Amino acid sequence: IISLGVRRIYPHRDLDEYYKLLKNARSIDITGYSLRGFFQSHENTIIELSKRKGFRLRIVMVDPKSESSRSREVVEDGRITGQFELGYNKILKNFGSLNGVELYTIPFALSTMIFRIDNIMYVGPHFVKEASKTSLTFKLDSSGPAFQQFQDEFEALIQKGKRIPLDTANPSDSKLD
């Protein structure tokens, strides 16, 4: 496991160590459905990081109007609450004008959460019957092949995704397919 680059396995998603790593991050990739926890925990940090030259944040979200997103919202919240679309709109509104931020949507389900902060990556499954915040999370470093395999998956999601223009602070101006 160590030779693959797996450094640790956690029983949940929201980890205290994210804060330390994000503080000085230059490059971040993240996938999600609503990214509520990410937004609530790290909004101010992302705003500050975006002021730095060379900062890059790439976000891949499942289109909140897609059937995949609606199905996942039922798993996460017990019913369709509109929170996934609200999360998308918050990301669009609050990160849309920031330097170095790119947002992509995909119309299909995510099998895996990917959260890369520079050369450290956290990955974990999206189980069918369990909220993602309670799912296992694997910490990977760039020394092993697991890191590159998940980075390649992230790049494939971007290639299959639709880039959303972020030059507006009004989420209703960005049309979702």
Side-chain angles (χ1 to χ4, degrees), residues 13 32-36 62-64 66-81 83-84 108-113 124-135:
R13 291 269 196 271
Y33 285 87
S34 72
L35 296 175
R36 286 179 285 197
V62 177
D63 181 336
S66 71
E67 187 57 40
S68 296
S69 183
R70 288 185 187 109
S71 295
R72 187 70 205 174
E73 190 167 10
V74 171
V75 171
E76 298 281 335
D77 295 337
R79 59 187 171 83
I80 295 177
T81 62
Q83 291 300 307
F84 281 22
F108 50 87
L110 290 167
S111 62
T112 308
M113 175 276 296
H126 284 288
F127 291 126
V128 174
K129 291 286 188 185
E130 190 172 329
S132 60
K133 66 183 176 183
T134 62
S135 298

Side-chain angles (χ1 to χ4, degrees), residues 10-21:
Y10 301 92
H12 56 83
R13 291 269 196 271
D14 190 24
L15 305 173
D16 289 338
E17 65 188 72
Y18 295 162
Y19 294 91
K20 181 180 176 190
L21 291 171

Side-chain angles (χ1 to χ4, degrees), residues 139-151:
K139 179 180 182 179
L140 312 174
D141 70 35
S142 59
S143 70
F147 183 99
Q148 190 59 51
Q149 198 165 28
F150 283 103
Q151 189 63 46

Side-chain angles (χ1 to χ4, degrees), residues 145-164:
F147 183 99
Q148 190 59 51
Q149 198 165 28
F150 283 103
Q151 189 63 46
D152 291 346
E153 176 69 4
F154 187 88
E155 300 301 332
L157 291 170
I158 284 197
Q159 291 302 311
K160 291 179 183 280
K162 175 184 173 187
R163 186 162 180 182
I164 304 301

Side-chain angles (χ1 to χ4, degrees), residues 30-47:
I30 189 166
T31 63
Y33 285 87
S34 72
L35 296 175
R36 286 179 285 197
F38 175 75
F39 183 81
Q40 290 169 352
S41 297
H42 308 296
E43 176 188 14
N44 292 333
T45 301
I46 297 302
I47 290 169

Side-chain angles (χ1 to χ4, degrees), residues 17-119:
E17 65 188 72
Y18 295 162
Y19 294 91
K20 181 180 176 190
L21 291 171
L22 282 171
K23 191 168 43 171
N24 296 307
R26 294 189 43 78
S27 178
I28 302 167
D29 291 336
I30 189 166
T31 63
Y33 285 87
S34 72
L35 296 175
R36 286 179 285 197
F38 175 75
F39 183 81
Q40 290 169 352
S41 297
H42 308 296
E43 176 188 14
N44 292 333
T45 301
I46 297 302
I47 290 169
E48 288 304 310
L49 289 172
S50 74
K51 297 174 184 174
R52 297 181 184 172
K53 185 177 179 175
F55 174 72
R56 186 176 191 194
L57 168 61
R58 298 185 302 168
I59 302 168
V60 174
M61 294 181 77
V62 177
D63 181 336
K65 294 190 181 298
S66 71
E67 187 57 40
S68 296
S69 183
R70 288 185 187 109
S71 295
R72 187 70 205 174
E73 190 167 10
V74 171
V75 171
E76 298 281 335
D77 295 337
R79 59 187 171 83
I80 295 177
T81 62
Q83 291 300 307
F84 281 22
E85 189 163 3
L86 182 64
Y88 169 85
N89 287 336
K90 280 185 177 179
I91 295 282
L92 190 62
K93 181 181 178 191
N94 295 7
F95 291 172
S97 63
L98 300 180
N99 178 53
V101 176
E102 299 172 22
L103 175 63
Y104 300 83
T105 59
I106 55 173
F108 50 87
L110 290 167
S111 62
T112 308
M113 175 276 296
I114 300 172
F115 183 21
R116 182 189 57 76
I117 306 166
D118 296 326
N119 64 348

